[in-house]
Amino acid sequence: MKCREGCGACCIAPSISSPIPGMPQGKPAGERCLHLNVENLCALFGKPERPQVCGGFKAEADICGNDRDEAIRIIGWLEQMTAA
């Protein structure tokens, strides 16, 4: 599956524990990443400072659902189920 351009669910729903430029503590779940632009595209995409966890995310139908809202719900649920 290819990412839905302009979705941004993976930049909002999950927490990111590694440092992100401008977010040295990472980001909490449900918070929009500073680098997600108004078109819901990653401004760090393809840049070396993009966190490894972000680059490793691969769109999958069972994670991304049928649309952005479903992706946010699924990823948010997974975040809650795996929280320590």
PDB file of all heavy atoms in Angstrom, residues 49-82:
ATOM      1  N   GLU A  49      17.742  14.331   9.183  1.00  0.00           N
ATOM      2  CA  GLU A  49      17.282  14.595  10.547  1.00  0.00           C
ATOM      3  C   GLU A  49      15.908  13.985  10.857  1.00  0.00           C
ATOM      4  O   GLU A  49      15.438  14.017  11.981  1.00  0.00           O
ATOM      5  CB  GLU A  49      17.282  16.095  10.868  1.00  0.00           C
ATOM      6  CG  GLU A  49      16.434  16.943   9.972  1.00  0.00           C
ATOM      7  CD  GLU A  49      17.168  17.514   8.757  1.00  0.00           C
ATOM      8  OE1 GLU A  49      18.161  16.921   8.299  1.00  0.00           O
ATOM      9  OE2 GLU A  49      16.738  18.557   8.263  1.00  0.00           O
ATOM     10  N   ARG A  50      15.265  13.404   9.861  1.00  0.00           N
ATOM     11  CA  ARG A  50      13.986  12.729  10.085  1.00  0.00           C
ATOM     12  C   ARG A  50      14.235  11.524  10.992  1.00  0.00           C
ATOM     13  O   ARG A  50      15.141  10.728  10.742  1.00  0.00           O
ATOM     14  CB  ARG A  50      13.399  12.276   8.758  1.00  0.00           C
ATOM     15  CG  ARG A  50      12.025  11.652   8.889  1.00  0.00           C
ATOM     16  CD  ARG A  50      11.495  11.318   7.514  1.00  0.00           C
ATOM     17  NE  ARG A  50      10.144  10.795   7.583  1.00  0.00           N
ATOM     18  CZ  ARG A  50       9.680   9.853   6.784  1.00  0.00           C
ATOM     19  NH1 ARG A  50      10.449   9.343   5.832  1.00  0.00           N
ATOM     20  NH2 ARG A  50       8.450   9.437   6.905  1.00  0.00           N
ATOM     21  N   PRO A  51      13.451  11.371  12.070  1.00  0.00           N
ATOM     22  CA  PRO A  51      13.673  10.243  12.983  1.00  0.00           C
ATOM     23  C   PRO A  51      13.579   8.894  12.266  1.00  0.00           C
ATOM     24  O   PRO A  51      12.758   8.706  11.371  1.00  0.00           O
ATOM     25  CB  PRO A  51      12.544  10.384  14.008  1.00  0.00           C
ATOM     26  CG  PRO A  51      12.190  11.828  13.983  1.00  0.00           C
ATOM     27  CD  PRO A  51      12.385  12.259  12.555  1.00  0.00           C
ATOM     28  N   GLN A  52      14.420   7.975  12.690  1.00  0.00           N
ATOM     29  CA  GLN A  52      14.470   6.653  12.082  1.00  0.00           C
ATOM     30  C   GLN A  52      13.119   5.948  12.186  1.00  0.00           C
ATOM     31  O   GLN A  52      12.697   5.275  11.252  1.00  0.00           O
ATOM     32  CB  GLN A  52      15.557   5.822  12.753  1.00  0.00           C
ATOM     33  CG  GLN A  52      15.811   4.496  12.091  1.00  0.00           C
ATOM     34  CD  GLN A  52      16.998   3.773  12.699  1.00  0.00           C
ATOM     35  OE1 GLN A  52      17.444   4.087  13.796  1.00  0.00           O
ATOM     36  NE2 GLN A  52      17.503   2.801  11.985  1.00  0.00           N
ATOM     37  N   VAL A  53      12.431   6.124  13.300  1.00  0.00           N
ATOM     38  CA  VAL A  53      11.128   5.476  13.477  1.00  0.00           C
ATOM     39  C   VAL A  53      10.136   5.958  12.418  1.00  0.00           C
ATOM     40  O   VAL A  53       9.319   5.189  11.935  1.00  0.00           O
ATOM     41  CB  VAL A  53      10.582   5.689  14.917  1.00  0.00           C
ATOM     42  CG1 VAL A  53      10.234   7.141  15.180  1.00  0.00           C
ATOM     43  CG2 VAL A  53       9.390   4.803  15.161  1.00  0.00           C
ATOM     44  N   CYS A  54      10.222   7.216  12.038  1.00  0.00           N
ATOM     45  CA  CYS A  54       9.320   7.744  11.006  1.00  0.00           C
ATOM     46  C   CYS A  54       9.649   7.138   9.645  1.00  0.00           C
ATOM     47  O   CYS A  54       8.753   6.738   8.899  1.00  0.00           O
ATOM     48  CB  CYS A  54       9.427   9.262  10.937  1.00  0.00           C
ATOM     49  SG  CYS A  54       8.950  10.081  12.470  1.00  0.00           S
ATOM     50  N   GLY A  55      10.924   7.079   9.334  1.00  0.00           N
ATOM     51  CA  GLY A  55      11.342   6.503   8.062  1.00  0.00           C
ATOM     52  C   GLY A  55      11.023   5.025   7.951  1.00  0.00           C
ATOM     53  O   GLY A  55      10.842   4.495   6.864  1.00  0.00           O
ATOM     54  N   GLY A  56      10.927   4.347   9.098  1.00  0.00           N
ATOM     55  CA  GLY A  56      10.654   2.923   9.107  1.00  0.00           C
ATOM     56  C   GLY A  56       9.178   2.573   9.006  1.00  0.00           C
ATOM     57  O   GLY A  56       8.826   1.418   8.785  1.00  0.00           O
ATOM     58  N   PHE A  57       8.300   3.579   9.166  1.00  0.00           N
ATOM     59  CA  PHE A  57       6.862   3.297   9.099  1.00  0.00           C
ATOM     60  C   PHE A  57       6.473   2.986   7.659  1.00  0.00           C
ATOM     61  O   PHE A  57       6.796   3.714   6.738  1.00  0.00           O
ATOM     62  CB  PHE A  57       6.048   4.489   9.606  1.00  0.00           C
ATOM     63  CG  PHE A  57       4.567   4.229   9.574  1.00  0.00           C
ATOM     64  CD1 PHE A  57       3.956   3.532  10.592  1.00  0.00           C
ATOM     65  CD2 PHE A  57       3.796   4.664   8.508  1.00  0.00           C
ATOM     66  CE1 PHE A  57       2.596   3.268  10.564  1.00  0.00           C
ATOM     67  CE2 PHE A  57       2.436   4.408   8.460  1.00  0.00           C
ATOM     68  CZ  PHE A  57       1.830   3.711   9.485  1.00  0.00           C
ATOM     69  N   LYS A  58       5.762   1.890   7.482  1.00  0.00           N
ATOM     70  CA  LYS A  58       5.278   1.494   6.160  1.00  0.00           C
ATOM     71  C   LYS A  58       3.757   1.431   6.197  1.00  0.00           C
ATOM     72  O   LYS A  58       3.171   0.823   7.097  1.00  0.00           O
ATOM     73  CB  LYS A  58       5.841   0.122   5.753  1.00  0.00           C
ATOM     74  CG  LYS A  58       7.356   0.054   5.747  1.00  0.00           C
ATOM     75  CD  LYS A  58       7.955   0.976   4.714  1.00  0.00           C
ATOM     76  CE  LYS A  58       9.454   0.883   4.737  1.00  0.00           C
ATOM     77  NZ  LYS A  58      10.154   2.112   4.686  1.00  0.00           N
ATOM     78  N   ALA A  59       3.127   2.055   5.228  1.00  0.00           N
ATOM     79  CA  ALA A  59       1.666   2.032   5.146  1.00  0.00           C
ATOM     80  C   ALA A  59       1.183   0.607   4.919  1.00  0.00           C
ATOM     81  O   ALA A  59       1.717  -0.108   4.083  1.00  0.00           O
ATOM     82  CB  ALA A  59       1.195   2.934   4.014  1.00  0.00           C
ATOM     83  N   GLU A  60       0.207   0.200   5.697  1.00  0.00           N
ATOM     84  CA  GLU A  60      -0.403  -1.129   5.593  1.00  0.00           C
ATOM     85  C   GLU A  60      -1.909  -0.934   5.730  1.00  0.00           C
ATOM     86  O   GLU A  60      -2.364  -0.147   6.570  1.00  0.00           O
ATOM     87  CB  GLU A  60       0.077  -2.037   6.729  1.00  0.00           C
ATOM     88  CG  GLU A  60       1.570  -2.279   6.773  1.00  0.00           C
ATOM     89  CD  GLU A  60       2.044  -3.314   5.785  1.00  0.00           C
ATOM     90  OE1 GLU A  60       1.206  -4.090   5.281  1.00  0.00           O
ATOM     91  OE2 GLU A  60       3.252  -3.365   5.534  1.00  0.00           O
ATOM     92  N   ALA A  61      -2.678  -1.659   4.963  1.00  0.00           N
ATOM     93  CA  ALA A  61      -4.137  -1.517   4.990  1.00  0.00           C
ATOM     94  C   ALA A  61      -4.717  -1.737   6.385  1.00  0.00           C
ATOM     95  O   ALA A  61      -5.637  -1.019   6.796  1.00  0.00           O
ATOM     96  CB  ALA A  61      -4.774  -2.467   3.986  1.00  0.00           C
ATOM     97  N   ASP A  62      -4.167  -2.700   7.149  1.00  0.00           N
ATOM     98  CA  ASP A  62      -4.721  -2.964   8.475  1.00  0.00           C
ATOM     99  C   ASP A  62      -4.347  -1.899   9.498  1.00  0.00           C
ATOM    100  O   ASP A  62      -4.956  -1.817  10.557  1.00  0.00           O
ATOM    101  CB  ASP A  62      -4.323  -4.358   8.964  1.00  0.00           C
ATOM    102  CG  ASP A  62      -2.827  -4.581   9.030  1.00  0.00           C
ATOM    103  OD1 ASP A  62      -2.084  -3.904   8.311  1.00  0.00           O
ATOM    104  OD2 ASP A  62      -2.406  -5.461   9.804  1.00  0.00           O
ATOM    105  N   ILE A  63      -3.372  -1.070   9.205  1.00  0.00           N
ATOM    106  CA  ILE A  63      -2.983   0.041  10.080  1.00  0.00           C
ATOM    107  C   ILE A  63      -3.623   1.343   9.602  1.00  0.00           C
ATOM    108  O   ILE A  63      -4.081   2.153  10.396  1.00  0.00           O
ATOM    109  CB  ILE A  63      -1.444   0.219  10.105  1.00  0.00           C
ATOM    110  CG1 ILE A  63      -0.749  -1.056  10.580  1.00  0.00           C
ATOM    111  CG2 ILE A  63      -1.029   1.426  10.933  1.00  0.00           C
ATOM    112  CD1 ILE A  63      -1.022  -1.438  12.003  1.00  0.00           C
ATOM    113  N   CYS A  64      -3.655   1.540   8.312  1.00  0.00           N
ATOM    114  CA  CYS A  64      -4.105   2.808   7.729  1.00  0.00           C
ATOM    115  C   CYS A  64      -5.600   2.856   7.416  1.00  0.00           C
ATOM    116  O   CYS A  64      -6.134   3.934   7.138  1.00  0.00           O
ATOM    117  CB  CYS A  64      -3.294   3.118   6.474  1.00  0.00           C
ATOM    118  SG  CYS A  64      -1.524   3.246   6.809  1.00  0.00           S
ATOM    119  N   GLY A  65      -6.258   1.711   7.453  1.00  0.00           N
ATOM    120  CA  GLY A  65      -7.688   1.686   7.216  1.00  0.00           C
ATOM    121  C   GLY A  65      -8.080   2.208   5.847  1.00  0.00           C
ATOM    122  O   GLY A  65      -7.292   2.185   4.906  1.00  0.00           O
ATOM    123  N   ASN A  66      -9.307   2.703   5.767  1.00  0.00           N
ATOM    124  CA  ASN A  66      -9.854   3.171   4.492  1.00  0.00           C
ATOM    125  C   ASN A  66      -9.696   4.665   4.262  1.00  0.00           C
ATOM    126  O   ASN A  66      -9.871   5.132   3.145  1.00  0.00           O
ATOM    127  CB  ASN A  66     -11.342   2.804   4.398  1.00  0.00           C
ATOM    128  CG  ASN A  66     -11.535   1.302   4.353  1.00  0.00           C
ATOM    129  OD1 ASN A  66     -10.890   0.610   3.585  1.00  0.00           O
ATOM    130  ND2 ASN A  66     -12.404   0.789   5.202  1.00  0.00           N
ATOM    131  N   ASP A  67      -9.409   5.412   5.326  1.00  0.00           N
ATOM    132  CA  ASP A  67      -9.242   6.861   5.193  1.00  0.00           C
ATOM    133  C   ASP A  67      -8.466   7.397   6.390  1.00  0.00           C
ATOM    134  O   ASP A  67      -8.115   6.650   7.298  1.00  0.00           O
ATOM    135  CB  ASP A  67     -10.599   7.571   5.038  1.00  0.00           C
ATOM    136  CG  ASP A  67     -11.562   7.308   6.189  1.00  0.00           C
ATOM    137  OD1 ASP A  67     -11.114   7.139   7.346  1.00  0.00           O
ATOM    138  OD2 ASP A  67     -12.780   7.270   5.933  1.00  0.00           O
ATOM    139  N   ARG A  68      -8.202   8.679   6.382  1.00  0.00           N
ATOM    140  CA  ARG A  68      -7.392   9.317   7.417  1.00  0.00           C
ATOM    141  C   ARG A  68      -8.003   9.145   8.804  1.00  0.00           C
ATOM    142  O   ARG A  68      -7.305   8.842   9.768  1.00  0.00           O
ATOM    143  CB  ARG A  68      -7.236  10.801   7.087  1.00  0.00           C
ATOM    144  CG  ARG A  68      -6.451  11.574   8.111  1.00  0.00           C
ATOM    145  CD  ARG A  68      -6.373  13.048   7.681  1.00  0.00           C
ATOM    146  NE  ARG A  68      -5.460  13.761   8.517  1.00  0.00           N
ATOM    147  CZ  ARG A  68      -5.846  14.437   9.608  1.00  0.00           C
ATOM    148  NH1 ARG A  68      -7.099  14.478   9.967  1.00  0.00           N
ATOM    149  NH2 ARG A  68      -4.943  15.070  10.328  1.00  0.00           N
ATOM    150  N   ASP A  69      -9.309   9.366   8.931  1.00  0.00           N
ATOM    151  CA  ASP A  69      -9.958   9.248  10.234  1.00  0.00           C
ATOM    152  C   ASP A  69      -9.823   7.838  10.799  1.00  0.00           C
ATOM    153  O   ASP A  69      -9.556   7.658  11.990  1.00  0.00           O
ATOM    154  CB  ASP A  69     -11.434   9.635  10.143  1.00  0.00           C
ATOM    155  CG  ASP A  69     -11.634  11.127   9.889  1.00  0.00           C
ATOM    156  OD1 ASP A  69     -10.727  11.916  10.207  1.00  0.00           O
ATOM    157  OD2 ASP A  69     -12.697  11.487   9.367  1.00  0.00           O
ATOM    158  N   GLU A  70      -9.995   6.848   9.937  1.00  0.00           N
ATOM    159  CA  GLU A  70      -9.845   5.462  10.395  1.00  0.00           C
ATOM    160  C   GLU A  70      -8.399   5.188  10.785  1.00  0.00           C
ATOM    161  O   GLU A  70      -8.135   4.515  11.782  1.00  0.00           O
ATOM    162  CB  GLU A  70     -10.317   4.486   9.321  1.00  0.00           C
ATOM    163  CG  GLU A  70     -10.396   3.072   9.832  1.00  0.00           C
ATOM    164  CD  GLU A  70     -11.032   2.098   8.859  1.00  0.00           C
ATOM    165  OE1 GLU A  70     -11.176   2.412   7.651  1.00  0.00           O
ATOM    166  OE2 GLU A  70     -11.373   1.003   9.323  1.00  0.00           O
ATOM    167  N   ALA A  71      -7.456   5.715  10.032  1.00  0.00           N
ATOM    168  CA  ALA A  71      -6.034   5.533  10.364  1.00  0.00           C
ATOM    169  C   ALA A  71      -5.722   6.126  11.734  1.00  0.00           C
ATOM    170  O   ALA A  71      -5.031   5.503  12.545  1.00  0.00           O
ATOM    171  CB  ALA A  71      -5.156   6.175   9.292  1.00  0.00           C
ATOM    172  N   ILE A  72      -6.241   7.310  12.019  1.00  0.00           N
ATOM    173  CA  ILE A  72      -5.997   7.929  13.322  1.00  0.00           C
ATOM    174  C   ILE A  72      -6.602   7.068  14.432  1.00  0.00           C
ATOM    175  O   ILE A  72      -5.972   6.869  15.475  1.00  0.00           O
ATOM    176  CB  ILE A  72      -6.513   9.382  13.350  1.00  0.00           C
ATOM    177  CG1 ILE A  72      -5.580  10.257  12.502  1.00  0.00           C
ATOM    178  CG2 ILE A  72      -6.609   9.906  14.782  1.00  0.00           C
ATOM    179  CD1 ILE A  72      -5.990  11.695  12.360  1.00  0.00           C
ATOM    180  N   ARG A  73      -7.796   6.536  14.218  1.00  0.00           N
ATOM    181  CA  ARG A  73      -8.423   5.674  15.233  1.00  0.00           C
ATOM    182  C   ARG A  73      -7.611   4.399  15.456  1.00  0.00           C
ATOM    183  O   ARG A  73      -7.346   4.009  16.591  1.00  0.00           O
ATOM    184  CB  ARG A  73      -9.848   5.312  14.829  1.00  0.00           C
ATOM    185  CG  ARG A  73     -10.858   6.399  15.090  1.00  0.00           C
ATOM    186  CD  ARG A  73     -12.289   5.908  14.964  1.00  0.00           C
ATOM    187  NE  ARG A  73     -12.609   5.312  13.675  1.00  0.00           N
ATOM    188  CZ  ARG A  73     -12.978   5.987  12.595  1.00  0.00           C
ATOM    189  NH1 ARG A  73     -13.071   7.293  12.636  1.00  0.00           N
ATOM    190  NH2 ARG A  73     -13.254   5.359  11.466  1.00  0.00           N
ATOM    191  N   ILE A  74      -7.199   3.745  14.368  1.00  0.00           N
ATOM    192  CA  ILE A  74      -6.459   2.483  14.491  1.00  0.00           C
ATOM    193  C   ILE A  74      -5.100   2.715  15.146  1.00  0.00           C
ATOM    194  O   ILE A  74      -4.724   2.009  16.085  1.00  0.00           O
ATOM    195  CB  ILE A  74      -6.281   1.801  13.113  1.00  0.00           C
ATOM    196  CG1 ILE A  74      -7.637   1.334  12.576  1.00  0.00           C
ATOM    197  CG2 ILE A  74      -5.304   0.625  13.207  1.00  0.00           C
ATOM    198  CD1 ILE A  74      -7.607   0.901  11.112  1.00  0.00           C
ATOM    199  N   ILE A  75      -4.367   3.688  14.662  1.00  0.00           N
ATOM    200  CA  ILE A  75      -3.034   3.944  15.221  1.00  0.00           C
ATOM    201  C   ILE A  75      -3.158   4.401  16.678  1.00  0.00           C
ATOM    202  O   ILE A  75      -2.367   4.003  17.526  1.00  0.00           O
ATOM    203  CB  ILE A  75      -2.260   4.970  14.367  1.00  0.00           C
ATOM    204  CG1 ILE A  75      -2.002   4.395  12.966  1.00  0.00           C
ATOM    205  CG2 ILE A  75      -0.940   5.344  15.028  1.00  0.00           C
ATOM    206  CD1 ILE A  75      -1.475   5.401  11.965  1.00  0.00           C
ATOM    207  N   GLY A  76      -4.165   5.205  16.968  1.00  0.00           N
ATOM    208  CA  GLY A  76      -4.395   5.628  18.353  1.00  0.00           C
ATOM    209  C   GLY A  76      -4.711   4.456  19.260  1.00  0.00           C
ATOM    210  O   GLY A  76      -4.220   4.365  20.402  1.00  0.00           O
ATOM    211  N   TRP A  77      -5.542   3.532  18.783  1.00  0.00           N
ATOM    212  CA  TRP A  77      -5.868   2.335  19.552  1.00  0.00           C
ATOM    213  C   TRP A  77      -4.615   1.499  19.788  1.00  0.00           C
ATOM    214  O   TRP A  77      -4.371   1.032  20.909  1.00  0.00           O
ATOM    215  CB  TRP A  77      -6.934   1.515  18.832  1.00  0.00           C
ATOM    216  CG  TRP A  77      -7.304   0.264  19.554  1.00  0.00           C
ATOM    217  CD1 TRP A  77      -8.176   0.137  20.586  1.00  0.00           C
ATOM    218  CD2 TRP A  77      -6.773  -1.044  19.312  1.00  0.00           C
ATOM    219  NE1 TRP A  77      -8.232  -1.173  21.003  1.00  0.00           N
ATOM    220  CE2 TRP A  77      -7.371  -1.923  20.237  1.00  0.00           C
ATOM    221  CE3 TRP A  77      -5.853  -1.556  18.392  1.00  0.00           C
ATOM    222  CZ2 TRP A  77      -7.078  -3.277  20.268  1.00  0.00           C
ATOM    223  CZ3 TRP A  77      -5.573  -2.904  18.433  1.00  0.00           C
ATOM    224  CH2 TRP A  77      -6.169  -3.758  19.358  1.00  0.00           C
ATOM    225  N   LEU A  78      -3.817   1.300  18.742  1.00  0.00           N
ATOM    226  CA  LEU A  78      -2.569   0.534  18.888  1.00  0.00           C
ATOM    227  C   LEU A  78      -1.639   1.203  19.890  1.00  0.00           C
ATOM    228  O   LEU A  78      -0.982   0.527  20.696  1.00  0.00           O
ATOM    229  CB  LEU A  78      -1.871   0.381  17.538  1.00  0.00           C
ATOM    230  CG  LEU A  78      -2.536  -0.569  16.552  1.00  0.00           C
ATOM    231  CD1 LEU A  78      -1.931  -0.423  15.169  1.00  0.00           C
ATOM    232  CD2 LEU A  78      -2.434  -2.007  17.046  1.00  0.00           C
ATOM    233  N   GLU A  79      -1.584   2.513  19.856  1.00  0.00           N
ATOM    234  CA  GLU A  79      -0.763   3.269  20.811  1.00  0.00           C
ATOM    235  C   GLU A  79      -1.219   2.977  22.239  1.00  0.00           C
ATOM    236  O   GLU A  79      -0.394   2.696  23.117  1.00  0.00           O
ATOM    237  CB  GLU A  79      -0.875   4.764  20.507  1.00  0.00           C
ATOM    238  CG  GLU A  79      -0.125   5.665  21.436  1.00  0.00           C
ATOM    239  CD  GLU A  79       1.390   5.615  21.292  1.00  0.00           C
ATOM    240  OE1 GLU A  79       1.874   5.370  20.168  1.00  0.00           O
ATOM    241  OE2 GLU A  79       2.081   5.836  22.297  1.00  0.00           O
ATOM    242  N   GLN A  80      -2.513   3.004  22.485  1.00  0.00           N
ATOM    243  CA  GLN A  80      -3.040   2.741  23.812  1.00  0.00           C
ATOM    244  C   GLN A  80      -2.769   1.309  24.250  1.00  0.00           C
ATOM    245  O   GLN A  80      -2.440   1.063  25.406  1.00  0.00           O
ATOM    246  CB  GLN A  80      -4.548   3.003  23.858  1.00  0.00           C
ATOM    247  CG  GLN A  80      -4.891   4.463  23.771  1.00  0.00           C
ATOM    248  CD  GLN A  80      -6.393   4.683  23.743  1.00  0.00           C
ATOM    249  OE1 GLN A  80      -7.174   3.757  23.505  1.00  0.00           O
ATOM    250  NE2 GLN A  80      -6.809   5.907  23.971  1.00  0.00           N
ATOM    251  N   MET A  81      -2.911   0.365  23.338  1.00  0.00           N
ATOM    252  CA  MET A  81      -2.726  -1.047  23.681  1.00  0.00           C
ATOM    253  C   MET A  81      -1.267  -1.399  23.959  1.00  0.00           C
ATOM    254  O   MET A  81      -1.002  -2.378  24.652  1.00  0.00           O
ATOM    255  CB  MET A  81      -3.257  -1.940  22.542  1.00  0.00           C
ATOM    256  CG  MET A  81      -4.754  -1.880  22.345  1.00  0.00           C
ATOM    257  SD  MET A  81      -5.689  -2.457  23.782  1.00  0.00           S
ATOM    258  CE  MET A  81      -6.298  -0.927  24.461  1.00  0.00           C
ATOM    259  N   THR A  82      -0.349  -0.612  23.441  1.00  0.00           N
ATOM    260  CA  THR A  82       1.068  -0.926  23.623  1.00  0.00           C
ATOM    261  C   THR A  82       1.764   0.028  24.593  1.00  0.00           C
ATOM    262  O   THR A  82       2.975  -0.091  24.805  1.00  0.00           O
ATOM    263  CB  THR A  82       1.813  -0.918  22.267  1.00  0.00           C
ATOM    264  OG1 THR A  82       1.670   0.362  21.667  1.00  0.00           O
ATOM    265  CG2 THR A  82       1.267  -1.999  21.349  1.00  0.00           C
TER     266      THR A  82
END
